[in-house]
Amino acid sequence: MMRKAPLSAKVAVAAVAGVLALSGAIGAALALSPTPETPVPPSSSTSVAEDVATVAVGLDEAEAAQLEEQTEPSSQPDASVPDPRAVAAEARSALDGASSTNELNLFDASDGTSRVLGSDEAADVEAAIAAFADAGCSVGFVVYDLASQRGLGYNADGLYFCASTVKAPFVSYVLQDAVASGAASLDDEVVEDLVMEGTGIMAEDDLTCYDLRTVLENTLVYSDNTGYALLRERFEAAGFEAWCAQADVDAAAWLGEWYPSYTPRDLAKLWLNTGAFLMGDDPNAVWCRGLFERTHVSFLREAIGADCTVLSKPGYEVDFPGYSTAALNDAGLVVGDDGAYVVAIMSDADYDDEYFTDNEHLIVDLAAALDAARDRLLIESEVA
């Protein structure tokens, strides 16, 4: 075995500093790059210390002490990195400024102001709204830029059938509450004791048993109705209602409905909770972000995903007589070089990804118009 010559303290410190700097750069890049498709365990708090100890072999006592001192992790949080939960808490109250009427408004949480936009300021958005009306449909939305603290709102309190948009907050709740607390494990066995028709892959496969990890993945990526039903059976509605209450959404009013009706403002607030989880330090957040990045259908990603990362979960349905289930919705977190924003679009337009896709252009065009309006009204006008 060849033994390498001892490094000087100065060279060793520089080597470790380079490793740490590179790790930071990789971590930043991972925020906008494809993420692992399997959950990862929490990293050991001793890993950095072990790396330092390895590098320090061969140094004298004074040099080793100098190296350890310069690489000792700080017990103080990095003040330059905002806490995602604090950002979400501030944004929740800000969303109350979104217009609840059929007037398009711009609201600014930094100074508490709000104003109705003129037609010349958002002609593209108004044209997209008019297209819904021409099709005999209603639409509502909320857009909120997390950095500028500005947002756009229209019919934010309109009540719409949620369809599969509810699967995003429910999966987030399961991971944040049951899995994080140890009450459930991603390796837990889930028996398929019921099968639901509609979207998904589990109803058609030959399996009768899955691990919880697979059920969560199928529920998000393939919008699996069977997977979602298995989760609802397994995890208590009361816990989910408490999770929603933290987002300032009254889920108790849904009376236990698995697929309730709620508002674009509610959906945006639920996504603030979900976003805080996805951007936080939970060991499974990176894995879950990867699921949201590859949802099988995403109208938001279709409209704007070429230049940014879109974490979204759509929901859609055709109308069934007597049930008012028509829905063409999408919501999520859009992350780009110029920051991030939350968007929730809900409508009563019919849509089915296999049988009736005629209305798809309505939500895709609106999402594209809102993204352009966000650049123009929420970012550029603030800089100006």
Side-chain angles (χ1 to χ4, degrees):
M1 177 183 291
M2 292 181 60
R3 184 181 299 275
K4 292 184 178 180
L7 298 171
S8 71
K10 190 172 294 186
V11 172
V13 170
V16 175
V19 169
L20 297 177
L22 180 59
S23 299
I26 292 174
L30 281 177
L32 293 176
S33 63
T35 49
E37 297 185 5
T38 55
V40 293
S43 58
S44 169
S45 60
T46 61
S47 59
V48 173
E50 290 170 352
D51 290 343
V52 170
T54 301
V55 174
V57 172
L59 302 181
D60 63 29
E61 186 174 342
E63 291 172 331
Q66 178 187 356
L67 176 58
E68 291 179 3
E69 179 181 350
Q70 296 192 32
T71 56
E72 183 71 25
S74 173
S75 60
Q76 299 299 319
D78 185 352
S80 65
V81 179
D83 183 347
R85 293 166 298 182
V87 173
E90 290 179 1
R92 271 195 293 273
S93 5
L95 294 188
D96 292 335
S99 172
S100 60
T101 70
N102 289 335
E103 290 184 315
L104 176 60
N105 84 325
L106 186 154
F107 58 97
D108 191 334
S110 66
D111 58 13
T113 59
S114 172
R115 66 181 180 85
V116 175
L117 289 173
S119 297
D120 59 330
E121 295 179 279
D124 49 353
V125 177
E126 291 195 349
I129 293 171
F132 274 91
D134 291 343
C137 305
S138 167
V139 67
F141 57 78
V142 174
V143 175
Y144 184 73
D145 186 83
L146 296 171
S148 70
Q149 298 181 285
R150 288 181 166 191
L152 301 171
Y154 176 86
N155 194 25
D157 290 329
L159 197 62
Y160 297 96
F161 180 57
C162 74
S164 291
T165 59
V166 72
K167 294 170 183 173
F170 198 83
V171 166
S172 299
Y173 149 68
V174 170
L175 287 170
Q176 277 187 281
D177 186 84
V179 175
S181 69
S185 166
L186 292 173
D187 296 321
D188 286 349
E189 181 181 88
V190 179
V191 177
E192 187 181 62
D193 55 3
L194 81 169
V195 174
M196 306 296 290
E197 296 181 351
T199 55
I201 60 175
M202 296 170 67
E204 303 298 330
D205 64 26
D206 297 327
L207 303 176
T208 57
C209 188
Y210 308 82
D211 57 31
L212 179 58
R213 176 186 296 105
T214 301
V215 176
L216 292 167
E217 179 172 353
N218 288 342
T219 300
L220 285 185
V221 175
Y222 301 106
S223 196
D224 203 297
N225 290 343
T226 296
Y228 177 58
L230 295 175
L231 295 176
R232 292 302 305 236
E233 274 196 328
R234 188 180 184 92
F235 299 99
E236 295 182 358
F240 182 48
E241 290 173 3
W243 186 91
C244 292
Q246 294 175 354
D248 193 27
V249 173
D250 182 14
W254 303 341
L255 302 178
E257 288 283 343
W258 288 4
Y259 293 95
S261 292
Y262 45 59
T263 71
R265 195 190 314 272
D266 288 336
L267 183 54
K269 288 185 176 182
L270 292 172
W271 257 98
L272 286 173
N273 249 28
T274 297
F277 161 65
L278 296 176
M279 299 305 167
D281 57 3
D282 186 288
N284 288 313
V286 172
W287 171 67
C288 192
R289 280 205 306 270
L291 303 184
F292 280 114
E293 286 184 37
R294 56 190 181 92
T295 45
H296 185 60
V297 175
S298 171
F299 306 111
L300 291 174
R301 192 174 299 118
E302 181 180 345
I304 59 178
D307 302 318
C308 56
T309 297
V310 176
L311 314 176
S312 82
K313 180 68 195 77
Y316 47 84
E317 187 57 271
V318 294
D319 198 20
F320 291 101
Y323 289 94
S324 299
T325 54
L328 181 55
N329 313 322
D330 207 349
L333 185 66
V334 179
V335 184
D337 293 338
D338 55 358
Y341 68 93
V342 172
V343 55
I345 303 171
M346 303 190 75
S347 78
D348 59 4
D350 283 285
Y351 182 83
D352 185 281
D353 62 340
E354 293 184 9
Y355 304 108
F356 186 78
T357 60
D358 293 10
N359 288 329
E360 181 174 355
H361 70 95
L362 296 175
I363 192 168
V364 171
D365 291 348
L366 177 57
L370 290 174
D371 185 66
R374 177 252 181 178
D375 292 345
R376 187 173 65 248
L377 298 170
L378 307 186
I379 298 179
E380 293 176 5
S381 62
E382 184 204 23
V383 174

